[in-house]
Amino acid sequence: MKTIDQWLNEYGRDHKNPLNQKIHKVCVPLIMFSILGIFWSIPVPKFMDGIYFLNWATIFAAFSLAYYLILDRVYFIIMIFVASIMLLLIDFLEQSSNLLTISLTIFILSWIGQFIGHKIEGQKPSFLEDLQFLLIGPLWVFKGFRGKITLPF
C-alpha cells in the first residue's frame, strides 16, 4: 500500500499549474459536498429510517474516514472536521430546500471546472489512473492544515 506522501506526490504531479490548483481547491470540496448531498438524498431502508443521521451519506463518510485513518491519523482528524461541517450543512439544506437538485447542480458545475483545470494543466485527471485519487483529492486540498496539527499519540 502506498504511503500518504506517495499518494499526495503522485496527485501533485498532475496539479502543478497555479490556476488548476486554485480551481481544484474550490471544486474538490464542492464535489465532496455534492456527493454527500446526493447520497443523503437516496432513500434509506426501513431499518435505518428514523435513526437520525444514519443514511447513505454518513455511511459513505464513515468508510472514507476509515480509509483516511489507515493513511494518516492527522488527515483523519482534518477530514472528520470537514465531513462533519458538510454533513451538518447538508442536513440544514435538506430541511429548507431541494437538496438533490442543489447537489446535482454543484456536482456538474464542479466537474466542469475540474475538466477545465485539467485542460489548462494539459494533464488528464488523476482518477483516470487510479480511482483512489478521488479520495486523495480532498487530502491534497487540505494538506496545508496537516503541518499545523500535532497529535500527542
Side-chain angles (χ1 to χ4, degrees), residues 2-141:
K2 293 179 189 175
T3 67
I4 186 63
D5 291 330
Q6 290 171 319
W7 279 114
L8 292 172
N9 288 337
E10 285 185 40
Y11 192 88
R13 177 186 68 215
D14 298 331
H15 302 86
K16 293 184 180 186
N17 180 286
L19 181 56
N20 186 32
Q21 289 178 357
K22 289 176 184 170
I23 289 169
H24 275 64
K25 288 182 180 181
V26 171
C27 291
V28 168
L30 287 173
I31 289 169
M32 180 180 168
F33 177 82
S34 67
I35 288 171
L36 290 171
I38 291 165
F39 281 151
W40 191 287
S41 301
I42 299 171
V44 297
K46 209 167 203 59
F47 73 91
M48 290 169 56
D49 196 27
I51 303 173
Y52 189 64
F53 255 73
L54 180 59
N55 57 51
W56 299 117
T58 57
I59 291 169
F60 175 75
F63 278 103
S64 299
L65 289 167
Y67 177 73
Y68 295 144
L69 180 59
I70 291 167
L71 288 176
D72 185 271
R73 293 178 301 175
V74 175
Y75 277 115
F76 167 72
I77 291 170
I78 292 166
M79 295 312 291
I80 284 176
F81 181 74
V82 171
S84 295
I85 290 171
M86 288 182 179
L87 290 168
L88 288 170
L89 181 57
I90 287 166
D91 181 48
F92 172 77
L93 284 174
E94 180 196 38
Q95 297 173 26
S96 61
S97 62
N98 188 339
L99 176 62
L100 183 59
T101 301
I102 291 169
S103 297
L104 288 171
T105 302
I106 291 170
F107 183 83
I108 292 166
L109 293 175
S110 297
W111 274 110
I112 290 170
Q114 292 283 84
F115 284 109
I116 290 170
H118 279 286
K119 179 74 172 165
I120 292 166
E121 182 81 43
Q123 293 285 343
K124 64 181 179 167
S126 300
F127 76 88
L128 294 175
E129 180 183 322
D130 188 329
L131 287 176
Q132 290 182 74
F133 281 116
L134 291 171
L135 290 172
I136 299 302
L139 300 181
W140 182 82
V141 166

